[in-house]
Amino acid sequence: MSMAEHSTQKRHFFLTRQPVITKNNATWAQSVHFRDLDPWDPKLKVPMAKRPELQRKANEYAHLITGDNPNRRSFLKFSREAISAGLARDIPSQELIVEVPEVEHPDPVLLRTLDSLRADGYRIAITDFMGLAKAEALHERADIVKVRVKGRTPHQILTILGRTPEPDPVMVATGVDYPQLFNISLAMGFSLFQGGFFAKAERVESRDLSPSQAAKLELFHLLERGKPDFSALSKTISMDAAISFRLLNFLNSAAFSFPTKIKSIDHAVVILG
């Protein structure tokens, strides 16, 4: 089933997004979380075979709602099952930080998948890091760790920080809901911050993807393939009038000066190769 066909299925998701801020109050990324739906929740009455599809749809939407982030960088939490199914690769590595829970005795499949993601440029973040003694194999693969500072004393926070892996990962303080917590976190060496002191988490309800959004998602997947499928590319580009117009206008500009006018998307795709 194509990504465009996925978009015709009515699925609604409730998510929150909250900026992750630098010490200079600049947005470094968006942290996106599903609040009302976890496709891998055993209580959810969705057949196991359908859950990867549901998670993929949710990933796409989470990616879309971070569009106002100029860095196009998002923290997105994945379950062990979703990571093993390869669903993190739906989003380009430069735009995604794969957020995983800290678990003791992480299984070999999960670790191999994380290694593969890191080899391809994805960064791994451990959420709610505690420094569990039996999670060292997971710690070794962490590029970023998130530590919740709200509700903890400075001594408790320092104890957790003393368990961070080597080499030092990027440290994110979460639950930074008032100025004192920001000052404490900054003094303890955190470089990124998330919490109500900067911005409240914004609750967002998903909607069906527009034809334009569906076309862009499908086009991304087609272009990621090694061998171009000209028929599929043409069909996907034709779904979006704006993309079609820009492509034809671009190829018919003075920069190319083709002897005949390019009038069809099929012709345009073949020329572009």
Side-chain angles (χ1 to χ4, degrees):
M1 182 180 291
S2 71
M3 300 302 293
E5 289 170 330
H6 278 220
S7 69
T8 63
Q9 299 182 6
K10 185 171 289 187
R11 297 287 196 185
H12 289 281
F13 306 95
F14 295 87
L15 311 101
T16 61
R17 64 176 176 183
Q18 189 174 38
V20 176
I21 305 294
T22 69
K23 64 180 180 180
N24 297 319
N25 205 30
T27 298
W28 188 81
Q30 292 281 349
S31 185
V32 181
H33 295 280
F34 302 107
R35 291 302 184 195
D36 297 89
L37 173 60
D38 177 1
W40 296 92
D41 187 339
K43 298 178 183 178
L44 188 64
K45 295 181 179 179
V46 175
M48 187 61 68
K50 292 288 186 181
R51 294 190 183 192
E53 173 189 331
L54 186 57
Q55 177 75 58
R56 191 181 300 276
K57 174 76 175 187
N59 291 351
E60 293 159 7
Y61 187 75
H63 186 50
L64 286 173
I65 69 167
T66 62
D68 58 353
N69 172 22
N71 295 319
R72 294 292 295 168
R73 185 187 295 123
S74 308
F75 284 88
L76 188 57
K77 187 181 293 186
F78 290 83
S79 67
R80 180 262 183 210
E81 293 85 356
I83 291 175
S84 299
L87 300 182
R89 296 182 184 276
D90 287 346
I91 301 172
S93 61
Q94 67 272 20
E95 298 179 14
L96 174 67
I97 298 164
V98 179
E99 195 169 338
V100 298
E102 186 180 29
V103 293
E104 294 185 321
H105 304 296
D107 66 85
V109 174
L110 173 62
L111 296 177
R112 284 197 299 269
T113 305
L114 293 178
D115 287 339
S116 177
L117 286 168
R118 295 186 77 205
D120 289 339
Y122 288 88
R123 283 167 291 183
I124 308 301
I126 297 178
T127 188
D128 295 330
F129 179 84
M130 291 286 294
L132 299 177
K134 298 178 182 179
E136 293 92 342
L138 186 62
H139 298 165
E140 293 169 0
R141 290 159 172 83
D143 304 292
I144 301 170
V145 297
K146 284 187 166 186
V147 177
R148 185 167 182 82
V149 296
K150 184 178 180 179
R152 289 188 170 128
T153 66
H155 176 73
Q156 290 172 327
I157 298 169
L158 285 173
T159 299
I160 294 172
L161 292 181
R163 302 169 184 159
T164 54
E166 297 288 346
D168 293 336
V170 175
M171 305 296 299
V172 183
T174 66
V176 184
D177 288 347
Y178 44 89
Q180 294 91 331
L181 276 179
F182 170 64
N183 292 331
I184 290 171
S185 302
L186 185 63
M188 290 184 173
F190 287 93
S191 55
L192 296 172
F193 311 87
Q194 179 184 342
F197 173 59
F198 302 97
K200 296 290 185 183
E202 177 187 4
R203 190 171 186 269
V204 185
E205 179 180 357
S206 75
R207 59 191 180 280
D208 290 339
L209 297 181
S210 69
S212 176
Q213 291 168 331
K216 289 181 175 68
L217 288 168
E218 175 74 359
L219 188 58
F220 165 72
H221 282 272
L222 289 171
L223 292 174
E224 282 288 289
R225 298 173 184 170
K227 186 177 181 180
D229 183 334
F230 294 126
S231 176
L233 282 171
S234 177
K235 182 178 179 180
T236 301
I237 292 172
S238 297
M239 291 170 55
D240 189 285
I243 295 177
S244 301
F245 174 80
R246 288 197 297 270
L247 177 60
L248 292 176
N249 195 49
F250 173 63
L251 291 178
N252 287 310
S253 68
F256 290 94
S257 300
F258 290 117
T260 58
K261 187 174 183 179
I262 311 301
K263 297 181 179 180
S264 73
I265 298 300
D266 288 342
H267 191 187
V269 167
V270 171
I271 287 176
L272 287 175

